[in-house]
Amino acid sequence: MLRATLKSLLARKVRLVLSGLAVVLGVMFVAGSFVLTDTLSRSFDSIFSDVYSQTDVTVKGKPKIQVGEMDGEEVPAPIPASAVDQVAAVPGVAQAHGVVAADGARLIGSNGKVVATSGPPRVGENWLGENEMTELREGRGPTADDEIVVNVGLAKAAKVKVGDRVGVLTLEPKKMFTIVGTFGYSGGRDSIGGANEIAFTDPVAQKLMLGETGVFSSIDVRAADGTSPAELKERVAATLGGDYTVRTGDEAAAADAEGLQDALGFFNKILLGFAGIALFVGIFLIVNTFSIVVAQRTKELALLRAIGAGRRQVIGSVLTEAVIVGMVASVIGLGAGIGVGALLAYLFSTFSGGLTLAGLGVPPAAIIASFAVGLVVTVIAAIVPAIRASRIPPIAAMQDVATPDRPLTRVTVMGAVVTAAAAALLGVGLFGSGSLLLVAGGVLLAFIGVALLTPLLSRPVVGLLGRVFAWSVPGKLGRLNSGRNPRRTAITAAALMVGIALVVGVGVIVSSAKTSIAGAVESTDAQLIIMGEQNSPQPPTFDPAVVDRAKQVPGVRDVVGVASDLATVDGKREYVTSVTDAAPVPGMYHSTAVAGSISAQGPDQVIVNEKAATDNGWSIGSVLTVQLARGDEHRYTVSGIAPTDKSIGEIMLPAAAMRDFAHPAPFAGYIRLDDGASVASVQPRIEALVADSPEVSVVDQAAYIEQQKGQVNQILVMIQILLALAILIAVLGIINTLALSVMERTRELGLLRAIGLSRGATTWMITVEAVVISVFGALMGVVVGTGLGAAVVRALRDQGFTDFTLPWGTMLLYLGVAAVVGVVAAILPSVRAARLNVLGAIAHE
């Protein structure tokens, strides 16, 4: 039986290539994800090892706010200079240096713009001189308060040199410095991991990067000969007490790397999620392929049953084919994934500013996942066709060319049940618990349910769509062919439906987000907005003094500066905002408080919105304990409750709290003009006030809305690129179905050619069939995607999705693209059909 199976598989190897391609593409995505994250992980491990290579023990203050890798960067508690002296006096310490190092030092390049970064930090630090790793390439170290040195990588990116006078942005507004030297690292490296580094004198670094002099962000300790790092760590920890985190250099490198692993792990999950979508679509292709192959092998399988093969042997035969296809596809997919992972790692290194990549490696997880996914997906997809093959009667089936199409009752009932379950989950998630997990589960079940119901819908809908082409005989034949086997048509269309539904669903969400953003901005009275585009962990900020100066500009009525940060409120991590003046906050100009007052705010008062008050049981007079990134805990009294849709953030702290934020400056400014004042006359005056903040700009409402829409569109493009793989697999499914269908109908096509159907007409007939199936799948995808997008928008209503908008132009575009996809998919099958030898086709059995 095994020998017969292998010969049968070799005889149909071309038929299974396309279904194998679906597995190859999916496995490629899985393997590539693991290879990419493993390569980046080891690369960052190497970076952190370099950073701590000259450190035996490091001391840091415990941060007041624990910040996850995806939430930004922690602000360690400052270490007083006296602690450095304490550590230096510990037995076994050879050297102890107070270190200032914090992200957020932005150099203004020769073009007048801040040097951008795609991920690596922009570090401001104190100059500690040369050592075994750090080396001056040109000039000297800084000695005066207005002198700096920069690493060679930053000097090249900014196109500056020793002797240039440059501006630097830090916690404070722009200050001018003279570059007196450039430095690099051993091995000829211009930077470590692409980081931009600016080194100041000690007091300047402390003031600009930590906000106060006489403190450090960490202490680097070198052990004396004969003292181990572990032993020295224990002595330093005993001397300083529990307010500090003391680690060996190796432990510090591992801890920093571990924090980055969370971000890489999240990134890996996203990639694996898209790989899962591609494989889910691939299941439809594989099911269809094996179903058609089994139908075409009816006589062969019946003969095997007649000469003694049991049902288990027939099932085993089909599943053996699936295992072989899955195994081969997994091997090819793994190889392709390694290449894709290496390419993506290279691109990441290039665009991130020169990350030195570790050697390419293939982690065991990539190999295990590739074969597990490839085999499991293929075998699962082949189970139903295998069971169907085992049920072929030994005698009766020998009279049939193919198995007859079965009633749709069972699959329709299953589809209705699954769809009802999906609706229930979505209902509970949207209108009950508000759980996004339930919504996600409902979305997945909805795809499965609709796919099961598609055969019921295929015949009438396909028949209706096919009428567009019914003006010619080939068109009529193509229309009839597309509806003659509802199951096959449905499975083929369902694969495209999933891809289109996801793209349309995301489009609905993005379109609704853009409309909501526009509505939120237009509902304010702010005619001008000060804000920049964030392209690094630090948001672009501007001098708080700009707010006061802007108020003096003729034609300006109100100005509000807004800052945001992560804090702990009553022991829970929450995002809070601070405004320079609560009274004229945009969106609250014409609103009344739900309770209390929102027209004024004292230094110990907090305004919360209605949602936050309800969720936390707060009322007027409630006392909240707030810990910010800097400073001590502070108790605030709730003085006002604002409408949820008329507030900036859930928790609004007074202006004085801003100084204790991680970035103690406004990231946005909203300006309301006097009646009769024009934007054109006021905007240039405000732009002059932020001339020293090149990261921010002053825009009117229309430009701000377009700026925000542009950022959302970037997200949409990235998602569309990742989903393109699923749509590609769906296109392969259409090609595969048509190719196998042409082989199955060889004799029929020969007879049509014999009675006068030309090659061109044959090509048109196959093309019509492909276009109808493709448009049917796209139409189903648009309908399902619209519904799912609406569900997600409803679930995100508390996150600012106030409007529901359909991207009509995009949806029509997808339908048009589907028609083109059908034409493209029909090329190879139609050419094959047109080239059939008429006499040979008629004699075909």
Side-chain angles (χ1 to χ4, degrees):
M1 193 69 185
L2 177 61
R3 186 179 302 172
T5 299
L6 294 176
K7 287 187 175 181
S8 176
L9 180 63
L10 292 174
R12 292 184 312 281
K13 52 184 179 295
V14 177
R15 305 184 192 184
L16 299 174
V17 166
L18 290 177
S19 60
L21 277 178
V23 181
V24 168
L25 293 173
V27 169
M28 178 186 73
F29 219 137
V30 171
S33 302
F34 281 108
V35 170
L36 171 63
T37 52
D38 176 76
T39 302
L40 294 181
S41 175
R42 288 184 293 104
S43 300
F44 286 116
D45 286 345
S46 176
I47 289 174
F48 292 125
S49 295
D50 282 345
V51 169
Y52 292 101
S53 63
Q54 306 302 313
T55 302
D56 293 316
V57 173
T58 181
V59 180
K60 289 186 178 180
K62 292 184 178 178
K64 298 178 184 297
I65 303 294
Q66 298 293 329
V67 177
E69 187 66 33
M70 303 304 296
D71 296 322
E73 296 186 349
E74 289 182 339
V75 178
I79 301 174
S82 59
V84 181
D85 296 333
Q86 283 182 275
V87 172
V90 172
V93 172
Q95 291 180 340
H97 295 294
V99 176
V100 176
D103 197 357
R106 291 97 71 198
L107 183 74
I108 300 174
S110 60
N111 60 358
K113 297 181 180 180
V114 171
V115 178
T117 175
S118 301
R122 298 181 285 193
V123 181
E125 57 197 15
N126 59 332
W127 176 247
L128 296 175
E130 296 183 272
N131 55 36
E132 293 91 336
M133 188 172 69
T134 305
E135 54 191 26
L136 274 170
R137 298 280 178 82
E138 187 179 357
R140 58 176 175 81
T143 56
D145 288 350
D146 66 342
E147 294 179 345
I148 59 173
V149 294
V150 300
N151 66 5
V152 176
L154 176 57
K156 290 179 178 178
K159 297 182 180 179
V160 295
K161 61 184 183 303
V162 172
D164 285 352
R165 192 79 174 163
V166 296
V168 179
L169 304 175
T170 56
L171 292 179
E172 296 190 6
K174 183 179 80 170
K175 296 189 178 300
M176 300 301 296
F177 295 89
T178 299
I179 299 176
V180 297
T182 60
F183 65 95
Y185 294 94
S186 58
R189 293 171 294 174
D190 293 339
S191 67
I192 294 182
N196 296 336
E197 294 176 88
I198 304 174
F200 310 88
T201 59
D202 281 8
V204 173
Q206 291 166 344
K207 187 172 185 297
L208 297 185
M209 302 310 303
L210 303 181
E212 56 182 315
T213 57
V215 296
F216 297 95
S217 57
S218 64
I219 304 173
D220 281 356
V221 185
R222 294 291 296 269
D225 293 339
T227 303
S228 69
E231 182 182 1
L232 185 57
K233 167 192 165 183
E234 298 300 327
R235 293 177 187 174
V236 171
T239 300
L240 293 178
D243 292 334
Y244 300 93
T245 300
V246 183
R247 296 187 175 103
T248 65
D250 291 341
E251 290 172 343
D256 287 353
E258 182 180 0
L260 195 61
Q261 299 306 319
D262 294 338
L264 290 176
F266 179 76
F267 179 61
N268 193 39
K269 289 176 183 176
I270 293 176
L271 293 179
L272 290 176
F274 283 101
I277 293 170
L279 289 166
F280 180 66
V281 173
I283 287 176
F284 291 98
L285 193 162
I286 300 167
V287 167
N288 225 16
T289 300
F290 277 93
S291 295
I292 297 173
V293 168
V294 166
Q296 292 176 349
R297 293 174 58 199
T298 299
K299 282 189 174 182
E300 175 188 329
L301 294 172
L303 181 60
L304 290 174
R305 291 292 313 280
I307 62 176
R311 292 185 60 182
R312 289 186 179 181
Q313 288 179 302
V314 173
I315 292 175
S317 174
V318 177
L319 292 183
T320 298
E321 291 186 18
V323 168
I324 294 173
V325 171
M327 183 68 72
V328 173
S330 297
V331 171
I332 298 173
L334 175 60
I338 293 172
V340 168
L343 175 62
L344 291 176
Y346 170 77
L347 293 176
F348 183 92
S349 169
T350 301
F351 290 110
S352 66
L355 171 67
T356 301
L357 292 175
L360 182 68
V362 183
I367 300 173
I368 295 171
S370 296
F371 284 97
V373 167
L375 288 173
V376 169
V377 167
T378 310
V379 170
I380 288 176
I383 286 176
V384 173
I387 294 174
R388 190 179 304 159
S390 71
R391 293 174 177 171
I392 297 175
I395 303 300
M398 293 179 67
Q399 305 300 318
D400 298 326
V401 175
T403 54
D405 205 18
R406 293 174 291 116
L408 301 176
T409 306
R410 182 181 299 178
V411 71
T412 301
V413 171
M414 290 176 59
V417 171
V418 174
T419 303
L425 282 178
L426 288 171
V428 174
L430 294 174
F431 303 101
S433 65
S435 169
L436 287 177
L437 186 61
L438 288 179
V439 173
V443 168
L444 178 60
L445 284 181
F447 277 126
I448 298 173
V450 173
L452 292 173
L453 290 174
T454 304
L456 182 68
L457 301 172
S458 65
R459 184 165 284 167
V461 176
V462 164
L464 184 62
L465 292 173
R467 291 187 180 278
V468 176
F469 306 97
W471 45 267
S472 66
V473 172
K476 290 180 181 178
L477 290 173
R479 167 176 168 262
L480 294 173
N481 286 336
S482 60
R484 69 197 293 180
N485 192 323
R487 289 176 183 273
R488 186 178 301 175
T489 298
I491 294 175
T492 305
L496 186 60
M497 176 201 73
V498 173
I500 295 293
L502 289 170
V503 174
V504 169
V506 172
V508 169
I509 296 169
V510 169
S511 180
S512 299
K514 291 192 288 188
T515 306
S516 299
I517 291 171
V521 174
E522 291 169 354
S523 68
T524 72
D525 289 341
Q527 288 93 347
L528 288 173
I529 299 163
I530 306 173
M531 186 174 284
E533 293 188 33
Q534 185 169 348
N535 54 17
S536 71
Q538 291 77 34
T541 58
F542 56 91
D543 187 353
V546 169
V547 174
D548 294 327
R549 294 176 193 152
K551 291 178 181 178
Q552 308 304 316
V553 173
V556 172
R557 182 175 177 182
D558 292 309
V559 184
V560 175
V562 181
S564 177
D565 201 8
L566 187 65
T568 56
V569 181
D570 290 344
K572 295 191 301 183
R573 294 200 313 167
E574 304 277 359
Y575 276 98
V576 298
T577 58
S578 174
V579 294
T580 55
D581 187 0
V585 168
M588 301 172 79
Y589 291 133
H590 305 300
S591 66
T592 56
V594 175
S597 172
I598 56 175
S599 61
Q601 186 177 21
D604 296 317
Q605 295 179 334
V606 62
I607 297 172
V608 300
N609 68 17
E610 191 173 14
K611 178 182 181 299
T614 301
D615 291 345
N616 295 281
W618 296 330
S619 59
I620 301 300
S622 294
V623 177
L624 312 184
T625 301
V626 179
Q627 175 63 66
L628 296 170
R630 308 176 195 272
D632 299 323
E633 279 188 348
H634 196 97
R635 293 168 66 83
Y636 295 95
T637 301
V638 176
S639 62
I641 299 177
T644 299
D645 61 340
K646 298 290 184 180
S647 64
I648 296 182
E650 295 188 347
I651 303 170
M652 269 197 325
L653 301 178
M658 193 182 298
R659 65 173 177 266
D660 288 334
F661 280 19
H663 307 288
F667 72 88
Y670 299 93
I671 302 171
R672 180 169 60 152
L673 305 183
D674 288 326
D675 294 338
S678 68
V679 169
S681 63
V682 175
Q683 186 171 351
R685 295 172 180 262
I686 305 298
E687 288 174 341
L689 296 179
V690 296
D692 285 344
S693 302
E695 290 180 300
V696 301
S697 57
V698 182
V699 295
D700 59 18
Q701 280 194 359
Y704 175 73
I705 291 171
E706 288 304 313
Q707 184 184 81
Q708 298 302 304
K709 286 182 177 180
Q711 295 177 3
V712 175
N713 285 334
Q714 290 178 2
I715 298 173
L716 176 61
V717 170
M718 287 189 293
I719 293 175
Q720 287 175 329
I721 291 173
L722 291 171
L723 288 175
L725 179 61
I727 296 177
L728 173 61
I729 292 175
V731 174
L732 292 177
I734 298 174
I735 297 173
N736 203 24
T737 298
L738 290 174
L740 293 172
S741 180
V742 166
M743 296 179 68
E744 185 180 61
R745 289 153 38 197
T746 299
R747 188 174 186 184
E748 174 187 319
L749 291 170
L751 289 172
L752 288 173
R753 292 292 313 283
I755 61 175
L757 193 69
S758 66
R759 287 188 172 184
T762 302
T763 300
W764 177 240
M765 178 183 69
I766 301 296
T767 301
V768 168
E769 185 176 351
V771 170
V772 169
I773 293 174
S774 182
V775 173
F776 170 56
L779 185 62
M780 292 291 295
V782 168
V783 173
V784 174
T786 300
L788 296 179
V792 173
V793 170
R794 176 68 175 78
L796 296 175
R797 63 193 182 281
D798 292 333
Q799 277 67 47
F801 283 73
T802 56
D803 297 298
F804 173 68
T805 307
L806 294 178
W808 291 107
T810 303
M811 292 191 295
L812 291 174
L813 175 64
Y814 290 144
L815 291 175
V817 169
V820 174
V821 163
V823 173
V824 173
I827 292 175
L828 292 178
S830 62
V831 169
R832 179 182 177 86
R835 290 180 176 178
L836 284 175
N837 181 281
V838 176
L839 295 179
I842 294 175
H844 180 80
E845 294 186 5

